[in-house]
Amino acid sequence: MNKKARYLVPGDYMADPAVHVFNGKLYIYPSHDWESGVEENDNGDHFNMKDYHVFSMEDMDGEVTDHGVVLDTDNIAWAGRQLWDCDVAFKDGKYYMYFPLKDQNDIFRIGVAISERPEGPFIPQENPMKGSYSIDPAIFHDGNNEYYMYFGGLWGGQLQRYRNNKALECAVLPEGNELALCGKVARLSETMLDFAEEPRDVVILDENGKPLTAGDTERRFFEASWVHQYNGKYYFSYSTGDTHLLCYAIGDNPYGPFTYQGVILTPVVGWTTHHAIVEFKGKWYLFHHDSVPSGGRTWLRSLKVCELQYNEDGTIRTIEGINA
Ligand code: FUB
């Protein structure tokens, strides 16, 4: 493909891509942005999405097929508002979609919806996953047939309302030299419908082996987890939120700890940045979004893809967000 990033769905606003290869094709599971009229605030209320589409591609330069609406809040029994970033995993003939949604008490939970096809439609379970909270579920399928969910997001993503997987009476955001809040990881149960264990912290270490601090805002975790494997190592990548970077850290197993390595994508137009990294037909790609086509309206984002390259030592070459 061309070195410049390609906009994938020019006719609509799609964001937060999760991408997987199923049956030899690429499947993209984005959030579906729209102009709902909700005013922008730090709580992210303006990201007021209410359904998902699925897209597929046979080739990176080829057509992008829109499979239409595959899940809608109108069909989710426990729905409040705001269908944010989802992901999909395949196991034993079924596709499991994991989605964050506020319940009727305005608390983010993670739901599961099931389909027999990667392009959906997906049928939601009656209730959210037991013990789930916060946003941005990303599923990593390890070679030994284990599935891990990474999740969590600060500010509007509500992670600061929890410690040790229990809700606090009021939110506490660490500051300065205090340890940064971590994203979470939990292995999924055999049925794929529950956590098989208590979610653990995804600890990111600096070059001296020390966990990142809350004041280290250009490196600490904010939201948008993704995990992929390259040359036997585990790459945990994420957004730094209010400093608008996509960064990554490398570890030796799915739980980490992960050691901070650098920036994958410098800031794009728009407040949020979010991504998926996937290998397809022998090349690596970064799927992401920006708000260029909407003229900078941060809640109306457009899906993009560009090639991702590694250096010999396994580090990732930084991509310029503005020019990508
Ligand atoms: O789309 C809503 C939120 O914006 C996502 O959950 C975050 O990762 C950010 O991209």
Side-chain angles (χ1 to χ4, degrees), residues 9-14 32-34 53 55 66 301-303:
V9 188
D12 206 342
Y13 295 113
M14 300 284 161
H32 184 194
D33 288 354
W34 67 296
H53 285 230
F55 299 86
D66 181 354
R301 300 160 295 177
S302 294
L303 208 57

Side-chain angles (χ1 to χ4, degrees), residues 41 43-45 47-48 78-84 101-109 134-135 155-158 161-162:
N41 59 27
N43 203 31
D45 288 343
F47 297 110
N48 192 23
W78 54 276
R81 59 181 181 137
Q82 297 183 285
L83 207 44
W84 284 12
L101 173 68
K102 282 183 181 161
D103 65 14
Q104 287 150 15
N105 297 315
D106 235 21
I107 305 294
F108 268 116
R109 307 279 176 207
S134 200
I135 60 165
W155 296 18
Q158 303 182 342
R161 297 186 181 191
Y162 298 83

